[in-house]
């Protein structure tokens, strides 16, 4: 009976059965800059889907803590499908130089992952909380998969997101993933535009849904916004942060002075490092 079981398992592996398909797999070799390599990870809540992550690593194979980064949503849908969507080389280097493995995650519907988006939005009856949780599930897939690899530490994960990715990071904090030590939200939020009026819609619901997140979240969180963010202004983000904290969330909220023409670009702009670096450094040291 034992011999038969072994033969069945071997046949399944050779045939590429679901048993074999559950493991993360690299795609191609490592690049010359920070050992860049694409990894594909099966989605445990969306059968048949895989999440793509572009992984960067320091030298050596000693287990390192993981930084999971995720991207904004562009108004130009073609840009959302770009193979290096959300890869900010200066941010990647900043973390790799501090000893982290960095995984830039393309959520469902974006970049190398492609396909349909998991997130949904409507100006009528918007649910930003549900959309954030759908994106957070994609991040959790990458965390679960990569922390099982020999070169990644199993704990001490930092999650970094920008814009809709920042909202996904905030949503993941509310899931209290056991491997996640902290989340960093740069200019996070979600917004739409009404087809009837042409105006931005559903911004007040961000405050409501930040409250929902705060009720659940016990993972340390750092939120970084600017006074001249053209997507999520200071009055709105203060209300979001207050709602999150008053509901019980563990939050360090930083509203920074104006940056460039649009402070929403603080993270993508290389010049932003001198501003956010002194805030992020002590946060990651505290939770590392």
């Amino acid at each position: 009976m034992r011999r038969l079981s072994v033969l069945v398992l071997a046949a399944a592996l050779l045939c590429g059965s679901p048993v074999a398909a559950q493991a993360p797999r690299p795609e191609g070799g490592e690049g010359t800059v920070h050992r860049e390599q694409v990894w594909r990870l099966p989605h445990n809540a969306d059968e048949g889907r895989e999440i793509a992550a572009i992984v960067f690593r320091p030298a050596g194979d000693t287990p390192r803590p993981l930084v999971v980064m995720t991207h904004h949503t562009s108004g130009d849908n073609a840009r959302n499908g770009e193979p290096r969507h959300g890869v900010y080389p200066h941010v990647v280097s900043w973390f790799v130089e501090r000893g982290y493995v960095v995984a830039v995650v393309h959520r469902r519907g974006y970049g190398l992952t492609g396909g349909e988006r998991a997130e949904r939005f409507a100006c009528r009856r918007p649910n930003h909380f549900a959309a954030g949780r759908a994106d957070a599930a994609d991040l959790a897939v990458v965390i679960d998969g990569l922390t099982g690899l020999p070169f990644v530490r199993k704990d001490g994960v930092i999650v970094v997101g920008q814009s809709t990715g920042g909202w996904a990071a905030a949503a993941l904090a509310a899931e209290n993933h056991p491997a996640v030590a902290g989340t960093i939200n740069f200019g996070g939020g979600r917004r739409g535009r009404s087809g009837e009026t042409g105006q931005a819609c559903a911004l007040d619901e961000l405050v409501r849904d930040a409250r929902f997140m705060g009720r659940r979240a016990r993972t340390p969180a750092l939120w970084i916004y600017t006074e001249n963010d053209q997507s999520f202004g200071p009055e709105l983000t203060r209300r979001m942060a207050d709602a999150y904290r008053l509901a019980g969330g563990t939050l360090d909220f930083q509203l920074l002075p104006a940056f460039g023409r649009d402070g929403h670009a603080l993270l993508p702009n290389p010049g932003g490092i001198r501003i956010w670096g002194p805030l992020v450094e002590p946060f990651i040291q505290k939770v590392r």
Side-chain angles (χ1 to χ4, degrees):
M1 181 64 71
R2 179 178 297 176
R3 176 178 173 80
L4 178 60
S5 298
V6 171
L7 290 174
V8 170
L9 178 59
L13 292 172
L14 288 172
C15 293
S17 75
V19 172
Q22 296 308 304
R25 58 184 176 86
E27 187 173 87
E30 294 181 359
T32 56
V33 179
H34 299 317
R35 306 171 71 176
E36 177 179 344
Q37 187 175 36
V38 174
W39 282 75
R40 302 277 179 176
L41 303 102
H43 205 298
N44 53 14
D46 194 345
E47 187 176 356
R49 296 290 296 274
E50 288 185 316
I51 299 297
I54 307 172
V55 176
F56 303 85
R57 300 171 53 192
D61 293 320
T62 301
R64 305 278 193 158
L66 175 66
V67 166
V68 168
M69 288 179 55
T70 194
H71 50 77
H72 66 287
T73 299
S74 174
D76 178 357
N77 198 50
R79 297 188 65 184
N80 291 321
E82 292 176 349
R84 294 183 66 78
H85 184 56
V87 177
Y88 310 132
H90 58 286
V91 182
V92 169
S93 293
W94 193 89
F95 281 106
V96 170
E97 288 165 4
R98 284 158 178 78
Y100 286 90
V101 172
V102 177
V104 177
V105 178
H106 287 161
R107 307 188 306 272
R108 282 172 287 178
Y110 298 87
L112 297 174
T113 295
E116 293 186 8
R117 295 183 189 177
E119 56 201 19
R120 296 288 184 267
F121 181 84
C123 283
R124 295 178 180 177
R125 301 180 64 185
N127 191 332
H128 301 300
F129 182 54
R133 292 194 75 188
D135 285 342
D138 295 354
L139 305 183
V141 163
V142 174
I143 292 167
D144 292 341
L146 294 186
T147 53
L149 299 179
F151 59 85
V152 179
R153 230 175 69 183
K154 296 186 182 300
D155 58 3
V157 177
I158 303 295
V159 178
V160 180
Q162 196 256 334
S163 194
T164 54
W167 187 254
L172 186 62
E175 299 300 315
N176 300 305
H177 192 292
V180 176
T183 63
I184 307 174
N185 158 22
F186 281 89
R190 302 186 60 84
R191 59 183 291 157
R193 194 167 297 280
S194 170
E196 298 173 356
T197 68
Q199 300 298 311
C201 66
L203 294 179
D204 285 337
E205 284 77 7
L206 286 170
V207 179
R208 177 200 67 192
D209 291 353
R211 184 177 300 111
F212 291 159
M213 290 180 180
R215 288 175 185 165
R216 300 164 55 100
R218 297 300 176 265
T219 302
L222 171 63
W223 289 12
I224 299 176
Y225 291 84
T226 59
E227 288 280 0
N228 68 329
D229 188 312
Q230 301 302 305
S231 298
F232 308 106
E235 191 271 338
L236 172 63
T237 56
R238 286 191 190 98
R239 290 170 58 209
M240 289 164 57
D242 287 344
Y244 187 95
R245 280 189 299 220
L246 289 173
T250 304
L251 177 62
D252 178 2
F253 174 63
Q254 298 287 335
L255 183 59
L256 305 180
F259 174 79
R261 294 183 177 179
D262 181 358
H264 199 61
L266 179 68
L267 187 68
N269 190 319
I273 286 182
R274 60 182 176 80
I275 297 170
W276 59 257
L279 298 174
V280 171
E281 184 85 64
F283 179 79
I284 62 176
Q285 290 297 329
K286 182 169 63 176
V287 301
R288 187 164 182 165

